[in-house]
Amino acid sequence: MISSTIETGSPVELGPVVFSEDAIAGAVARIAGQLKVEFDGQPIHMVAILKGALLFSADLMRALGEYPVTIDFMVVSSYGTGRSGKADVRLLKDLDQSPSGKNVVLVEDIIDEGYTLSYLLANMRSRRPLRVQSCALIDKPFHRAVNVKPDYVGLQAPDDAFLVGYGLDFQERFRNLPHIRQLQSRVLK
Ligand code: IMP
Ligand code: MG
């Protein structure tokens, strides 16, 4: 068991595995299959939201195989949200290419309160893409504050735990885990 103390002084321990590597791979393959059917051969322009969707977007584009896919990235920080009752989503890095006229698929790690996805959908729609859809590896609906729902969801969070691994962090740690685990101590993002 890995155990450490982060600046706050609160001890942080990794808890049980919530989603195994196999479960994640299955979810990724299923979303790739749904996207192929939905877009029916038309090129997909993935917009991956970093850093959380780093591993998910890489595996999703690989699962799309020979399907025509391009990718771009945005970095957002949702610091300042998290049950504080305030939507404070900041754009830290914008797209390299205009999404205008493209079939945009936003690729997110986890939807919690919904502020981040709702900001991203509004931002993307204002740039006149052909279509905008969104997918999230994990839906965590327990504290949804904005009425927003991704078009494709990989995995449903079984309970209101803080999850780490496969891109998801706690204070920038644990993104490298190949599976998704619960954080043992009760912490907020
Ligand atoms: P929202 O705006 O509340 O939906 O926040 C979504 C963002 O919060 C995600 O993209 C993550 O960066 C972060 N987040 C929410 N829940 C978790 C979690 O359980 N583990 C790690 N990050 C989380
Ligand atoms: Mg985060």
Side-chain angles (χ1 to χ4, degrees):
M1 178 72 58
I2 298 172
S3 171
S4 67
T5 302
I6 310 203
E7 305 87 84
T8 57
S10 58
V12 172
E13 268 192 6
L14 289 175
V17 173
V18 177
F19 298 115
S20 66
E21 289 185 64
D22 280 356
I24 295 168
V28 170
R30 186 166 42 76
I31 294 178
Q34 290 171 332
L35 288 172
K36 282 181 187 169
V37 170
E38 178 66 28
F39 288 94
D40 194 25
Q42 298 167 67
I44 292 174
H45 189 61
M46 285 176 40
V47 172
I49 310 307
L50 298 179
K51 302 170 196 170
L54 176 65
L55 276 65
F56 175 41
S57 57
D59 285 345
L60 183 60
M61 74 186 298
R62 182 163 33 199
L64 284 162
E66 293 181 10
Y67 195 95
V69 173
T70 50
I71 190 164
D72 204 347
F73 302 96
M74 283 170 95
V75 181
V76 299
S77 157
S78 42
Y79 183 84
T81 67
R83 332 272 154 88
S84 65
K86 234 176 90 222
D88 183 16
V89 183
R90 292 181 198 173
L91 180 58
L92 304 182
K93 182 217 170 284
D94 204 355
L95 298 170
D96 289 342
Q97 297 151 320
S98 167
S100 165
K102 296 179 179 162
N103 292 304
V104 170
V105 175
L106 283 170
V107 182
E108 261 277 44
D109 53 357
I110 185 167
I111 312 301
D112 183 19
E113 291 172 293
Y115 288 122
T116 312
L117 181 59
S118 108
Y119 167 87
L120 290 166
L121 285 169
N123 180 300
M124 210 52 58
R125 285 181 183 132
S126 73
R127 305 190 206 200
R128 306 271 170 256
L130 196 56
R131 283 182 78 181
V132 184
Q133 286 206 316
S134 61
C135 64
L137 179 65
I138 301 170
D139 191 16
K140 198 165 79 167
F142 309 99
H143 301 276
R144 197 60 47 87
V146 184
N147 185 19
V148 69
K149 202 175 171 311
D151 297 290
Y152 311 91
V153 171
L155 301 158
Q156 290 289 343
D159 52 33
D160 180 25
F162 195 85
L163 304 174
V164 295
Y166 195 72
L168 294 167
D169 74 304
F170 171 65
Q171 297 183 353
E172 295 302 326
R173 297 194 50 204
F174 309 121
R175 293 195 198 273
N176 54 309
L177 299 176
H179 44 230
I180 293 170
R181 301 175 72 148
Q182 198 171 313
L183 209 62
Q184 204 66 288
S185 56
R186 180 89 183 89
V187 288
L188 297 175
K189 65 182 168 176

